[in-house]
Amino acid sequence: MSLPHAILTALLEKPSSGLELTRRFDKSIGYFWSATHQQIYRELGKLEAEGLIRALPSQQPARGQKKSYEVLPAGRAELARWTAAAQDPKPQRDVLLLRLRAAAVVGTAGLGADMRRHLELHRRQLAEYQEIEQRDFPPDRDTPEDRLRHLVLRAGIDLETFWIQWLTHALAEFADLPDTG
């Protein structure tokens, strides 16, 4: 149920078309909540049918024009309700961890190389997050909205830091294991 809420959040930040939302998801929300172009368009239709958003009036004939959407008061109320509701954390699901568990019974062939690849991917992602932090969150940017957005980015930085530390440790342990296949 979170994709509609991600869309409501993005539209409250800035009324947008489906294509603009897809691009914004790729650049911000997509770091922690991904959605395809088709999923976004499908959800826009549902949100509009539920009376939570509306297409902005077009200044030109609608045929072939992209629709931009804005959040209606009912959509803002739904987002506020969802934000305030208690939710339990979701269990961790990670394919690499499952593959490590499976390696205990079928062998480790090929897994070390993929763990090193994962380590490099996490290092790159951390560098990207740190670049965003430097660019978008200078010390003088201290509004409540900026502080909350920065908290989300810090979660990404901390998660990437965790994965880098864990993979470094795991690879050291892995190096002592026989390469079984």
Side-chain angles (χ1 to χ4, degrees), residues 3-37 40-41 44 53 56 66-71 79 128-129 132 135-136 149 152:
L3 178 57
H5 298 99
I7 291 171
L8 288 170
T9 299
L11 289 174
L12 278 169
E13 291 174 342
K14 180 183 176 193
S16 304
S17 69
L19 181 58
E20 290 166 338
L21 280 173
T22 300
R23 289 180 180 147
R24 288 175 56 211
F25 263 69
D26 289 345
K27 293 180 183 174
S28 62
I29 291 174
Y31 285 116
F32 57 90
W33 197 269
S34 63
T36 67
H37 189 71
I40 289 172
Y41 273 96
L44 285 170
I53 65 171
L56 291 169
K66 63 182 178 182
K67 286 190 210 177
S68 286
Y69 296 89
E70 70 177 355
V71 177
L79 187 59
E128 186 174 341
Y129 285 161
I132 292 169
R135 181 190 69 223
D136 293 349
R149 288 181 186 115
V152 174

Side-chain angles (χ1 to χ4, degrees), residues 7-117:
I7 291 171
L8 288 170
T9 299
L11 289 174
L12 278 169
E13 291 174 342
K14 180 183 176 193
S16 304
S17 69
L19 181 58
E20 290 166 338
L21 280 173
T22 300
R23 289 180 180 147
R24 288 175 56 211
F25 263 69
D26 289 345
K27 293 180 183 174
S28 62
I29 291 174
Y31 285 116
F32 57 90
W33 197 269
S34 63
T36 67
H37 189 71
Q38 292 83 6
Q39 289 171 316
I40 289 172
Y41 273 96
R42 193 169 35 249
E43 285 302 325
L44 285 170
K46 289 178 186 176
L47 291 168
E48 189 172 25
E50 293 170 8
L52 301 179
I53 65 171
R54 73 174 179 133
L56 291 169
S58 178
Q59 295 177 3
Q60 299 176 346
R63 188 169 176 85
Q65 297 291 321
K66 63 182 178 182
K67 286 190 210 177
S68 286
Y69 296 89
E70 70 177 355
V71 177
L72 295 170
R76 181 181 282 278
E78 168 54 24
L79 187 59
R81 182 209 60 77
W82 179 78
T83 301
Q87 292 187 357
D88 293 336
K90 299 291 182 210
Q92 174 71 21
R93 289 178 60 178
D94 189 279
V95 173
L96 180 61
L97 297 177
L98 181 58
R99 290 171 59 215
L100 277 171
R101 182 68 183 252
V105 293
V106 298
T108 60
L111 195 52
D114 200 41
M115 290 171 63
R116 287 187 290 280
R117 186 181 69 82

Side-chain angles (χ1 to χ4, degrees), residues 119-133 153-165:
L119 178 58
E120 182 54 34
L121 291 171
H122 285 289
R123 285 179 174 151
R124 280 192 231 145
Q125 189 63 63
L126 177 60
E128 186 174 341
Y129 285 161
Q130 289 170 329
E131 182 181 307
I132 292 169
E133 183 177 42
L153 179 61
R154 284 298 321 170
I157 290 170
D158 292 346
L159 284 169
E160 294 304 327
T161 301
F162 161 78
W163 280 112
I164 290 166
Q165 291 172 345

